[in-house]
């Protein structure tokens, strides 16, 4: 008398108030979404829908978890991607997407996209950021532990007793220089660098 699973004439499957677990004993693919449609529209589609009767600001709307055991046999969320409503008002809806990563035994906000900014390392831990190019492993490097931004190097040099928070290092005139150009015909303005003390 209690429906467990249903399949309708459209081949849609429903599991009311239940869950689905697919278990394998090897590393084969457990779930495949395949679209054989040949048009230019998107497919296949994975839709995570929170169909709330009373949606409100700050509601969490979906969570993708990558779980694994630690060596004590505890199941932990090692990586979690979480969606959240920031503003549920009709016409001004805002949302937030956050990626959490387990770091030193604690879940930390590693990357966030919200309505006003993109944030890396929101939880302010010692996690560096590095952008690598074809010929430079540290073309842009944010040294989180020392609060420095570096170009072309992994560490700022101390010069005249000062270790700059922004530092550029290269092996030639070209990759150790700063350029500034105003591209305007007849302009009396020119590039400038300002130094101030308040």
């Amino acid at each position: 008398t209690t429906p467990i699973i249903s399949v309708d004439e459209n081949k849609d499957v429903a599991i009311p108030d239940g869950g689905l677990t697919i278990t394998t004993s090897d590393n084969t693919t457990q779930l495949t979404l395949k679209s054989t449609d040949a048009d230019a529209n998107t497919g296949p589609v994975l839709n995570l829908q929170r169909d709330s009767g009373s949606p409100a600001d700050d509601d969490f709307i979906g969570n993708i978890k990558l779980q694994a055991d630690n060596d004590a046999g505890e199941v932990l969320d090692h990586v979690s991607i979480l969606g959240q409503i920031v503003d549920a008002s009709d016409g001004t809806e805002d949302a937030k997407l956050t990626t959490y990563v387990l770091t030193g035994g604690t879940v930390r906000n590693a990357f966030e996209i919200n309505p006003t900014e993109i944030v890396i390392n929101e939880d302010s831990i010692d996690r560096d950021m590095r952008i690598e190019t074809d010929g430079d492993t540290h073309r842009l490097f944010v040294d989180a532990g020392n609060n420095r931004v570096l170009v072309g190097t992994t560490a700022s040099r101390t010069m005249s007793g000062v270790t700059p928070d922004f530092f550029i290092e290269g092996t030639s005139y070209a990759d150790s220089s700063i350029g500034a150009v105003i591209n305007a015909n007849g302009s009396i303005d020119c590039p400038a660098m300002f130094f101030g003390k308040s």
Side-chain angles (χ1 to χ4, degrees):
T1 58
T2 302
I4 300 300
I5 186 169
S6 65
V7 183
D8 66 15
E9 66 274 15
N10 298 315
K11 296 179 283 187
D12 290 327
V13 180
I15 305 175
D17 294 323
L20 175 64
T21 300
I22 304 172
T23 303
T24 59
S25 59
D26 53 26
N27 296 318
T28 56
T29 300
Q30 293 170 280
L31 178 64
T32 299
L33 304 179
K34 181 183 290 187
S35 172
T36 58
D37 197 353
D39 62 23
N41 295 322
T42 302
V45 175
L46 175 64
N47 186 15
L48 306 179
Q49 180 181 1
R50 179 167 181 178
D51 192 10
S52 171
S54 56
D57 296 355
D58 300 323
D59 280 357
F60 293 104
I61 54 176
N63 195 355
I64 300 174
K65 298 181 179 182
L66 282 69
Q67 297 181 326
D69 294 349
N70 61 13
D71 60 8
E74 300 169 319
V75 179
L76 302 176
D77 296 342
H78 281 66
V79 177
S80 180
I81 302 172
L82 185 64
Q84 186 177 11
I85 296 174
V86 175
D87 183 356
S89 303
D90 185 20
T92 61
E93 299 89 348
D94 288 321
K96 179 168 69 173
L97 180 71
T98 308
T99 300
Y100 296 92
V101 177
L102 190 62
T103 307
T106 303
V107 175
R108 301 290 190 176
N109 182 337
F111 180 77
E112 177 181 302
I113 303 174
N114 63 53
T116 59
E117 59 186 356
I118 296 174
V119 185
I120 298 174
N121 197 24
E122 171 71 11
D123 284 339
S124 301
I125 64 172
D126 189 357
R127 190 196 309 274
D128 299 337
M129 187 188 75
R130 179 174 62 88
I131 297 177
E132 183 170 340
T133 62
D134 186 38
D136 193 338
T137 60
H138 291 76
R139 186 70 278 179
L140 179 62
F141 179 59
V142 177
D143 184 347
N146 293 305
N147 299 312
R148 294 193 174 108
V149 178
L150 311 170
V151 177
T153 183
T154 61
S156 183
R157 294 178 184 266
T158 300
M159 299 171 291
S160 300
V162 176
T163 305
D165 283 346
F166 179 76
F167 187 79
I168 301 173
E169 182 172 326
T171 58
S172 68
Y173 181 78
D175 63 10
S176 303
S177 302
I178 297 175
V181 175
I182 289 181
N183 189 1
N185 293 329
S187 174
I188 61 172
D189 295 325
C190 63
M193 181 177 291
F194 296 93
F195 297 88
K197 180 180 179 181
S198 62

